[in-house]
């Protein structure tokens, strides 16, 4: 499996797309500093870090969908999947190599974003709320869930465009529905998994604090609910991949 993961990494790293994405993160992080300084915004380190980190991790969510969709979608698109399946590796090994690769790529970008934003925050004043490592960690939950969902869609559709489209639409419309239900039927909203991907809603100093109280949920409930969906998506993906023909 390690050789498969290394091969996936080399294919990704040698593309222009990988460098462009990393450069884009830097440009946005530096751009916000320039805009804040030239317009005399009263930013503290916390203000810059929280704003920029949320913005870049939102972008990471979209980029994660694209890279994950291509992990299997491009194999089908370029007709290399059937050759891969004829290799000595089992389908389970191939699937998990794709899954682990997608998670590693996302984590690599996540750490890269955290590093450049944290470094950039030193340009601003120390006054204000402290930067909390906790707020950084909880942001990784959503892209991890996105990977499992995207891989599932990538096994249902042959087109990379359709994989990306269905994943984005599923997230968008379900999140919109959940946000509306919070105001009218919070007891129903708590059964929408996308409402449980932001674990910062359980911390009093978070802007999303109070949503959990409206839904009547706890952090333990959210963790278990998200894990249950991941297990279902994982099991369904393995089942489909084991039975799917690429001839």
């Amino acid at each position: 499996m390690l050789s498969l993961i290394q091969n996936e990494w080399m294919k990704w790293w040698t593309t222009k797309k990988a460098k462009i994405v990393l450069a884009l993160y830097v440009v946005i992080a530096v751009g916000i500093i320039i805009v804040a300084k030239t317009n005399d915004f009263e930013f503290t380190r916390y203000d810059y870090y929280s704003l920029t980190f949320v913005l870049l991790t939102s972008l990471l969510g979209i980029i994660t969908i694209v890279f994950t969709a291509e992990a299997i979608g491009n194999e089908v698109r370029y007709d290399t999947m059937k050759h891969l399946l004829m290799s000595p590796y089992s389908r389970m090994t191939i699937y998990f190599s794709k899954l682990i690769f997608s998670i590693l790529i996302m984590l690599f970008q996540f750490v890269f974003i955290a590093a450049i934003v944290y470094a950039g925050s030193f340009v601003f004043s120390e006054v204000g709320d402290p930067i909390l490592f906790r707020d950084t960690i909880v942001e990784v939950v959503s892209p991890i869930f996105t990977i499992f969902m995207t891989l599932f869609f990538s096994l249902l559709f042959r087109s990379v465009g359709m994989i990306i489209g269905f994943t984005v639409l599923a997230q968008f419309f379900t999140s919109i529905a959940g946000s509306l239900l919070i105001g009218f039927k919070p007891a129903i909203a708590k059964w929408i998994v996308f409402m449980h991907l932001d674990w910062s809603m359980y911390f009093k100093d978070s802007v999303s604090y109070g949503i959990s109280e409206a839904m009547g949920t706890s952090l333990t409930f959210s963790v278990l609910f998200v894990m249950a969906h991941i297990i279902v998506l994982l099991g369904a993906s393995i089942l489909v991949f084991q039975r799917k023909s690429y001839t």
Side-chain angles (χ1 to χ4, degrees):
M1 183 186 295
L2 182 59
S3 60
L4 286 175
I5 297 172
Q6 290 175 332
N7 183 56
E8 293 288 343
W9 175 271
M10 290 301 297
K11 286 192 297 184
W12 179 80
W13 184 247
T14 53
T15 62
K16 291 182 180 179
K17 191 182 302 180
K19 278 80 170 182
I20 291 173
V21 165
L22 296 179
L24 181 61
Y25 294 143
V26 175
V27 168
I28 293 174
V30 173
I32 292 176
I33 293 176
I34 294 173
V35 171
K37 287 296 184 179
T38 54
N39 291 275
D40 295 322
F41 291 163
E42 295 182 359
F43 270 17
T44 63
R45 285 188 63 200
Y46 174 82
D47 293 331
Y48 170 77
Y49 185 88
S50 58
L51 171 66
T52 310
F53 190 76
V54 168
L55 178 62
L56 292 184
T57 49
S58 297
L59 179 59
L60 172 63
I62 298 172
I63 292 172
T64 295
I65 293 174
V66 175
F67 286 154
T68 306
E70 290 179 344
I72 291 179
N74 278 348
E75 299 282 6
V76 177
R77 178 184 178 185
Y78 297 113
D79 204 29
T80 56
M81 179 61 80
K82 60 183 179 182
H83 299 293
L84 185 60
L85 293 175
M86 289 188 290
S87 68
Y89 302 102
S90 67
R91 289 201 176 206
M92 287 284 286
T93 300
I94 293 170
Y95 173 80
F96 277 102
S97 69
K98 299 288 187 182
L99 173 61
I100 295 171
F101 161 74
S102 299
I103 293 175
L104 288 176
I105 289 298
M106 183 277 294
L107 290 177
F108 171 73
Q109 295 174 82
F110 187 86
V111 172
F112 182 80
I113 289 171
I116 61 173
V117 176
Y118 184 75
S121 69
F122 283 97
V123 174
F124 301 95
S125 170
E126 290 277 359
V127 179
D129 298 326
I131 296 174
L132 299 177
F133 186 62
R134 175 205 70 197
D135 294 336
T136 301
I137 292 298
V138 295
E139 291 290 337
V140 81
V141 178
S142 183
I144 286 179
F145 181 82
T146 296
I147 289 171
F148 283 90
M149 184 171 65
T150 307
L151 277 179
F152 174 68
F153 282 126
S154 70
L155 294 170
L156 296 182
F157 307 107
R158 302 182 72 88
S159 167
V160 173
M162 289 186 66
I163 297 167
I164 296 172
F166 270 89
T167 306
V168 172
L169 288 175
Q171 285 188 332
F172 179 75
F173 286 112
T174 310
S175 297
I176 291 296
S179 299
L180 292 174
L181 286 171
I182 282 292
F184 301 100
K185 294 288 184 179
I188 299 177
K190 80 173 189 177
W191 298 110
I192 298 177
V193 68
F194 292 104
M195 302 305 296
H196 297 274
L197 299 181
D198 181 11
W199 294 350
S200 65
M201 65 182 175
Y202 294 104
F203 307 125
K204 291 184 178 180
D205 53 354
S206 170
V207 294
S208 58
Y209 181 73
I211 295 178
S212 58
E213 289 187 348
M215 294 191 297
T217 60
S218 64
L219 178 58
T220 301
F221 178 88
S222 290
V223 172
L224 293 177
F225 196 58
V226 171
M227 288 299 298
H229 279 76
I230 287 176
I231 291 171
V232 170
L233 286 171
L234 177 62
S237 297
I238 292 173
L239 183 63
V240 172
F241 190 56
Q242 291 283 20
R243 297 185 176 184
K244 196 174 184 68
S245 173
Y246 291 97
T247 56

